[in-house]
Amino acid sequence: MIDFARVQKELQECGKDVEGSGIRVAPKSDATLARLVGTIPGPIGTPYEGGVFQIDITLPDGYPFEPPKMQFSTKVWHPNISSQSGAICLDILKDQWSPALTLKTALLSVQALLSAPEPDDPQDAVVAKQYLKDYQTFISTARYWTETFAKTSSRGIEEKVQKLVEMGFPEAQARTTLESVGGDENLALEKLCSG
Amino acid sequence: MDAFCCCFKVQEELEDDINNSNNQHHSSSNGFTDLVSKFATLFRNNETQHVPSRVLACLLTEEAKTKVAKNILEVEECPVCLEEYTTENPKIPMKCSHNYHLACIYEWMERSNFCPICDRVMEFEESLDAQMR
Ligand SMILES: [Zn+2]
Ligand SMILES: [Zn+2]
């Protein structure tokens, strides 16, 4: 049984520090707190800088005693993240999980992984090989993927959020609603008006 | 002011180190680990208050189970359920000095013998009764 009271608290805590951490976590829909979307900014000074990366989060029944399942839904070029599926190779999401960690600290760790790839323990062998053999090409590919996949959608979302804010909806609500309908502004508007 | 300058310097140094570790990819893994332990030492000695978020994340990843993480995480709520301690559901001290609700730590003990924060083997404080009296 998922400890939903804790999840609720975590969302509140994380929401308080969005300015500081840049990390967001929001439920995917109103239906359940077991499916969430996390957002992390690409670390400065890396080829991921300027990108905003979305991570699908599924909480197992045993959460927080078992680790959250996390997977990039934004395509990313990184030795420890599958360029195909978005699967993440990170010890704290596996056997090094501890119930004292939270969704936020887990996402911070994922962000740290973007800063510090570990090509010796790869998730994506092709990327890891490129990282080790041809670092410059790795950097430009990673940067290109950031430009292509991690920027347009997020810029789009920001514009849509802004539009809804101008219509008079609170920013946080506009954002979570947009996220919950996958960025469709008409659906989001409908939902905001009916809710 | 002194503290600020010190902190600022450290941060600059840190940025350099991070840049270096990004450029010298062959040693990046080691470089980063060194960086983390360096920062952990500074933080432990109270030489800096400001921990950049990505370093904090590493501290939490690499050292989630040490005293450094403890300083950041430890508040008067149970680290497992994030609820406060009450008289009905009191704080249970472990030998390693970390505290949990009894039910919370029992549930974790079904899966692991190690403290969620410091990773030491978990044992109940034997003087628990004495302390509570
Ligand atoms: Zn508890
Ligand atoms: Zn402990």
Side-chain angles (χ1 to χ4, degrees):
Chain A
M1 186 57 201
I2 299 174
D3 182 350
F4 285 115
R6 167 170 151 153
V7 179
Q8 197 71 260
K9 269 199 133 178
E10 281 196 46
L11 295 183
Q12 273 170 18
E13 283 303 311
C14 191
K16 278 187 208 159
D17 185 38
V18 170
E19 290 293 304
S21 67
I23 306 278
R24 294 175 196 281
V25 188
K28 230 175 177 176
S29 75
D30 291 341
T32 170
L33 281 179
R35 302 291 307 272
L36 305 135
V37 180
T39 313
I40 56 174
I44 294 167
T46 72
Y48 312 102
E49 180 174 351
V52 175
F53 298 84
Q54 287 213 334
I55 291 160
D56 269 331
I57 304 170
T58 306
L59 302 181
D61 266 354
Y63 186 81
F65 298 100
E66 283 158 25
K69 294 187 173 71
M70 293 194 174
Q71 190 163 1
F72 276 80
S73 57
T74 305
K75 283 171 85 68
V76 55
W77 191 255
H78 185 287
N80 306 102
I81 301 158
S82 165
S83 57
Q84 301 291 316
S85 69
I88 306 166
C89 178
L90 182 62
D91 57 357
I92 60 142
L93 295 177
K94 294 170 185 161
D95 57 338
Q96 290 302 305
W97 171 255
S98 143
L101 295 168
T102 61
L103 295 173
K104 182 181 166 181
T105 50
L107 286 169
L108 280 167
S109 305
V110 171
Q111 192 188 32
L113 184 67
L114 289 180
S115 300
E118 302 206 9
D120 298 332
D121 184 20
Q123 175 76 39
D124 194 307
V126 176
V127 185
K129 198 175 158 198
Q130 189 192 52
Y131 184 95
L132 291 169
K133 297 247 160 81
D134 188 358
Y135 187 65
Q136 284 317 315
T137 310
F138 162 78
I139 292 289
S140 32
T141 313
R143 198 170 281 139
Y144 178 76
W145 278 47
T146 303
E147 293 294 329
T148 311
F149 303 116
K151 284 194 172 169
T152 45
S153 65
S154 57
R155 202 184 295 135
I157 284 275
E158 288 311 314
E159 274 169 21
K160 290 171 193 168
V161 169
Q162 210 41 50
K163 246 190 207 170
L164 291 169
V165 169
E166 279 162 19
M167 289 178 192
F169 297 105
E171 191 194 324
Q173 199 188 348
R175 191 183 302 279
T176 40
T177 311
L178 265 170
E179 278 170 3
S180 74
V181 295
D184 185 316
E185 49 192 321
N186 292 326
L187 276 178
L189 187 58
E190 229 171 77
K191 222 173 157 189
L192 283 164
C193 290
S194 66
Chain B
M1 194 60 200
D2 282 346
F4 174 77
C5 290
C6 163
C7 168
F8 192 68
K9 220 182 197 167
V10 167
Q11 241 189 303
E12 245 178 16
E13 219 180 299
L14 196 72
E15 296 290 334
D16 286 343
D17 285 358
I18 285 171
N19 288 340
N20 287 341
S21 75
N22 282 339
N23 295 337
Q24 301 161 5
H25 56 281
H26 285 296
S27 63
S28 80
S29 183
N30 282 336
F32 202 80
T33 311
D34 290 345
L35 186 59
V36 168
S37 36
K38 185 168 149 193
F39 216 89
T41 311
L42 286 170
F43 194 76
R44 206 177 287 130
N45 299 341
N46 276 335
E47 285 173 48
T48 178
Q49 292 293 313
H50 181 80
V51 185
S53 61
R54 63 174 178 274
V55 176
L56 174 59
C58 291
L59 290 177
L60 287 163
T61 312
E62 307 257 0
E63 296 210 39
K65 298 155 188 196
T66 72
K67 281 178 187 161
V68 181
K70 178 194 144 188
N71 287 338
I72 299 162
L73 292 171
E74 197 179 63
V75 274
E76 273 310 274
E77 59 188 25
C78 166
V80 171
C81 66
L82 308 182
E83 299 290 339
E84 284 169 22
Y85 299 109
T86 61
T87 35
E88 300 81 55
N89 197 5
K91 175 161 102 174
I92 305 295
M94 311 300 289
K95 265 193 179 159
C96 62
S97 86
H98 294 119
N99 310 307
Y100 303 95
H101 289 125
L102 190 61
C104 292
I105 204 57
Y106 267 147
E107 188 156 356
W108 178 241
M109 283 166 125
E110 284 173 19
R111 293 166 168 88
S112 167
N113 295 322
F114 303 101
C115 173
I117 293 177
C118 67
D119 211 19
R120 271 177 264 179
V121 175
M122 275 186 297
E123 284 174 275
F124 288 106
E125 187 65 73
E126 275 159 24
S127 60
L128 182 60
D129 284 341
Q131 271 184 11
M132 288 175 93
R133 247 166 243 151

